[in-house]
Amino acid sequence: MVSTLTWQQLRDLKLSELSEAADAWSGASKHADSARERVDGQMSGTLAKTQESESATAAVKRLRRLSDNYHYIRTECGLIRGALDGLASELASPRRSLREALDDVAALGYTLDENGGVGYPAGGRNELTGDEIPGGTVIGNNGLLGSGNPGLYPADKNGLYQSGTGAGAAGLKSPNPHRARAQEAADRIAHAVREAQEIDARYCEALRRLKAGPGLTVDTRTWADVASDVDSVSSAASDYIADHIPLTKSPAERKDWWDHLSDAERQEYKAAFPEIIGNLDGMPAVVRDEVNRENLHMLIAKLEGQHDDISRDQLAGMRGIEHKLSSPSNPPMFLLGIGDEGNGRAIVSYGNPDTSKNVSAYVPGLGTALNSEFAGSTLDRGLDTAKGARVYSKSSASIVWLGYDAPDLFEVGSTTSAEKGARAYSGFMDGLRATNDQRDPHVTAIGHSYGSLAVGTAARRHGGIPGVDDIILLGSPGTGAERASDLNVGREHVFVGSAGNDPVTRLPSKTQAAAALLGGPVLGTLADPEGDDVWFGKDPASKAFGATRFRVSDGPLPFGLSGEGMTPAHSDYFTPAADPTHVGPREDPESARNIAKIVAGRSDKITTEAPR
């Protein structure tokens, strides 16, 4: 989309009118939100609780449709408000530059025509004839060499000299001293107009997408469009966002920024840029949860219109999360992150991590993606950990963190995913440290399978994982470290669960594997005479590593020998017994209790076993 904004329009632009329009749309958004709350709470909620009849059911259905309409109005008005605020903010700089250039033109006594050409008077002398050099008019270079600004003069009216700064400059300098000054002013005018036109076109396209047709029915397709609208506004307002939201600051600085905003400002940021606020480390958990429930709704609608395998898997995972969010849980569920990047992103906490004394964050491993299995068994591990920890300390919260692309079988031998995950995990944990309101919270990092490599990689970075006191490694193929002391929490604060029948914890080291391949089993053994190396460094359950190994069940035999799948013992560390009097073959209550005790800050009560 091409903007036709002129220098006259930019000069006369009243940014206050854009800001006032933004405030008006913000007011409309708030009114719609209040109306939705009244419909949900005072009307449909009350009706559903007090009336049981076909007519009452039909009325509740219509009221829910009305609530959806208000929800849509609230969201779109919030996006318009954000776009208008961004437009006003970004146009301020080129307008200021233009006005400064116009003031300089007037102070020099030069003229300005309707196309932005700057006229200058005669001055200087021709060295050959002694005649005064005549004046003329120059146009500005907008910063794109060889291309003029739309609507400006196509050439210098004199056509005799170039200043060395204008479009098509040949390096010759006019003897008329006014020529260079006029060219400099014209360049500034052209650049300001060009910058404003780019901003105008960008926001015009975003606002055009926010237009709703008459008779609109708010349905799944509508919410998919809303998700697209959110992306459009964020893209158009990228410069505004960078200037107003501390994306490059630390989580602590973001938390401080948020704390100093007014309630109105917070509501406006949540409405205009939900996908940013909902996934920004340093934002309070209740804020992230509120915004991400909105984001989840829009992402589900977006994915329903896509039919590739990844989209179908993510849709199943998001629907599963949505179902869990709509069902009561104890402790309550908080959605701290959601997205469709890569194989999907989801961060779920059972319990409020900002108010809990004990907080754990579990990183899953090989093959984990945002799908139905994640919404089922993977999240259940977080809930089981939270429930278990609350037996020993009521102030406990447990997080499942899928903030990276876990590798598949073809990538699991590489450290690339772990390195990327480690950076993201460290940022998230730094955010937890910033938002937790306890004086000295007890924080535990948990890595399972390949997730233990991601946790270990994060822990080996300078300073370790922000705020973490204890580390639990489960079913680990190695952390990349040779000693527990390399993980920056002290060896006595590194705990390992390694089932006897878990083949992942027995993977040979790369050196062993290469030696065995080239020279057979004997050479493979010689490559690791102590037998304590695994694929990614030293075996965390080994004596040489130096961690505390807690007792777990050996688990079923691997590779189908137990009838329980390929590696059943690898997946059961978190699973308590549904019936304490009868432990099932896929349950490990002792491991689950030990994990819960560590998370609750009671590691002195765990049961241990000898290292390998």
Side-chain angles (χ1 to χ4, degrees):
M1 184 171 291
V2 178
S3 170
T4 59
L5 183 71
T6 66
W7 72 263
Q8 295 93 334
Q9 290 172 323
L10 180 60
R11 176 198 61 193
D12 299 335
L13 180 63
K14 296 179 180 178
L15 297 177
S16 60
E17 293 182 351
L18 288 174
S19 298
E20 289 168 2
D23 291 341
W25 284 104
S26 177
S29 179
K30 292 174 183 176
H31 283 309
D33 197 38
S34 297
R36 183 180 67 146
E37 290 179 354
R38 288 196 299 272
V39 169
D40 290 344
Q42 300 173 17
M43 299 171 71
S44 63
T46 301
L47 188 61
K49 292 177 182 178
T50 60
Q51 302 292 323
E52 292 185 8
S53 65
E54 290 184 8
S55 59
T57 300
V60 168
K61 186 176 180 180
R62 289 194 294 271
L63 286 170
R64 285 175 180 166
R65 186 186 307 139
L66 179 61
S67 175
D68 284 343
N69 290 342
Y70 280 130
H71 186 184
Y72 173 76
I73 294 170
R74 176 251 186 191
T75 303
E76 291 288 281
C77 288
L79 291 174
I80 294 172
R81 176 263 166 194
L84 290 173
D85 258 353
L87 178 61
S89 176
E90 289 195 46
L91 283 176
S93 178
R95 189 192 65 164
R96 180 172 58 252
S97 298
L98 173 70
R99 288 182 171 181
E100 289 173 352
L102 295 180
D103 288 344
D104 289 345
V105 168
L108 290 167
Y110 298 166
T111 61
L112 186 68
D113 65 30
E114 62 179 10
N115 293 310
V118 177
Y120 60 93
R125 296 288 174 181
N126 188 308
E127 294 182 0
L128 296 177
T129 66
D131 296 335
E132 188 175 38
I133 304 298
T137 301
V138 293
I139 63 167
N141 172 24
N142 61 14
L144 303 176
L145 187 61
S147 62
N149 201 53
L152 297 183
Y153 274 98
D156 184 340
K157 283 185 175 180
N158 257 356
L160 296 175
Y161 302 99
Q162 299 291 344
S163 69
T165 60
L172 299 177
K173 186 174 181 180
S174 170
N176 185 337
H178 297 292
R179 173 68 166 76
R181 298 192 194 103
Q183 185 67 63
E184 190 270 340
D187 287 348
R188 289 161 57 197
I189 292 169
H191 180 77
V193 173
R194 176 69 182 183
E195 182 182 356
Q197 287 177 336
E198 186 276 328
I199 294 168
D200 182 47
R202 182 159 30 94
Y203 279 95
C204 185
E205 176 63 21
L207 288 166
R208 184 187 65 79
R209 289 176 175 268
L210 299 177
K211 182 179 179 180
L216 174 70
T217 298
V218 178
D219 54 16
T220 299
R221 181 179 296 179
T222 306
W223 285 111
D225 287 340
V226 172
S228 177
D229 292 343
V230 169
D231 291 341
S232 296
V233 171
S234 294
S235 177
S238 58
D239 290 343
Y240 173 82
I241 291 169
D243 289 340
H244 289 77
I245 300 178
L247 300 178
T248 60
K249 301 293 186 179
S250 69
E253 289 171 312
R254 295 170 188 161
K255 173 65 164 50
D256 183 67
W257 165 76
W258 186 260
D259 287 345
H260 286 85
L261 294 176
S262 67
D263 288 340
E265 288 172 325
R266 292 174 189 166
Q267 291 301 322
E268 289 165 357
Y269 278 115
K270 288 189 293 184
F273 309 113
E275 80 292 358
I276 295 175
I277 299 301
N279 293 286
L280 190 63
D281 296 329
M283 293 297 98
V286 292
V287 173
R288 294 181 72 156
D289 178 64
E290 175 192 351
V291 176
N292 282 322
R293 289 175 187 246
E294 296 281 339
N295 289 335
L296 178 64
H297 187 61
M298 290 185 284
L299 284 168
I300 287 175
K302 174 184 176 182
L303 291 169
E304 285 178 337
Q306 300 175 6
H307 305 292
D308 58 283
D309 290 342
I310 291 179
S311 295
R312 280 193 290 266
D313 284 344
Q314 290 185 9
L315 179 59
M318 290 187 189
R319 281 176 171 162
I321 292 173
E322 183 182 48
H323 176 73
K324 285 180 179 284
L325 286 169
S326 65
S327 306
S329 68
N330 185 23
M333 187 175 173
F334 291 78
L335 186 58
L336 304 182
I338 194 71
D340 60 354
E341 177 187 351
N343 291 327
R345 301 287 186 266
I347 306 172
V348 173
S349 179
Y350 287 97
N352 188 337
D354 290 351
T355 60
S356 296
K357 172 67 176 177
N358 304 291
V359 182
S360 68
Y362 148 54
V363 183
L366 172 66
T368 307
L370 181 52
N371 52 27
S372 58
E373 183 178 349
F374 176 85
S377 60
T378 305
L379 287 187
D380 287 345
R381 293 171 185 170
L383 180 58
D384 287 337
T385 300
K387 287 180 175 179
R390 288 190 169 206
V391 172
Y392 307 99
S393 172
K394 294 296 183 184
S395 183
S396 297
S398 180
I399 297 166
V400 179
W401 184 86
L402 183 61
Y404 80 128
D405 281 331
D408 58 23
L409 281 172
F410 299 102
E411 302 167 328
V412 72
S414 167
T415 62
T416 300
S417 293
E419 290 162 0
K420 292 179 179 178
R423 290 190 292 271
Y425 184 69
S426 292
F428 175 76
M429 299 302 279
D430 200 11
L432 287 184
R433 179 171 63 175
T435 57
N436 188 282
D437 61 13
Q438 297 288 325
R439 173 171 291 184
D440 184 24
H442 171 251
V443 180
T444 304
I446 304 176
H448 174 234
S449 186
Y450 188 91
S452 67
L453 177 62
V455 167
T457 303
R460 287 186 288 112
R461 300 177 73 189
H462 179 71
I465 304 172
V468 165
D469 302 286
D470 291 321
I471 293 175
I472 300 175
L473 307 171
L474 302 167
S476 177
T479 64
E482 293 297 310
R483 297 173 298 276
S485 57
D486 295 337
L487 302 185
N488 285 301
V489 292
R491 57 177 291 181
E492 68 276 11
H493 292 283
V494 180
F495 303 90
V496 179
S498 183
N501 289 326
D502 182 350
V504 174
T505 67
R506 303 279 190 159
L507 290 175
S509 69
K510 297 175 183 178
T511 304
Q512 270 184 297
L517 184 64
L518 294 173
V522 174
L523 190 57
T525 300
L526 292 175
D528 177 26
E530 300 298 325
D532 55 9
D533 288 337
V534 286
W535 190 257
F536 297 110
K538 194 66 68 179
D539 178 5
S542 69
K543 182 178 180 180
F545 191 75
T548 300
R549 186 181 182 190
F550 59 85
R551 191 176 298 166
V552 304
S553 168
D554 283 342
L557 292 168
F559 303 112
L561 298 175
S562 64
E564 295 287 340
M566 293 295 287
T567 57
H570 184 60
S571 305
D572 300 338
Y573 294 98
F574 298 88
T575 312
D579 180 359
T581 64
H582 177 72
V583 178
R586 297 300 305 273
E587 297 173 337
D588 193 345
E590 187 162 27
S591 175
R593 281 195 299 272
N594 283 327
I595 292 170
K597 289 174 183 177
I598 297 168
V599 169
R602 301 300 306 275
S603 60
D604 57 318
K605 300 297 182 181
I606 64 173
T607 58
T608 62
E609 61 180 308
R612 292 194 180 113

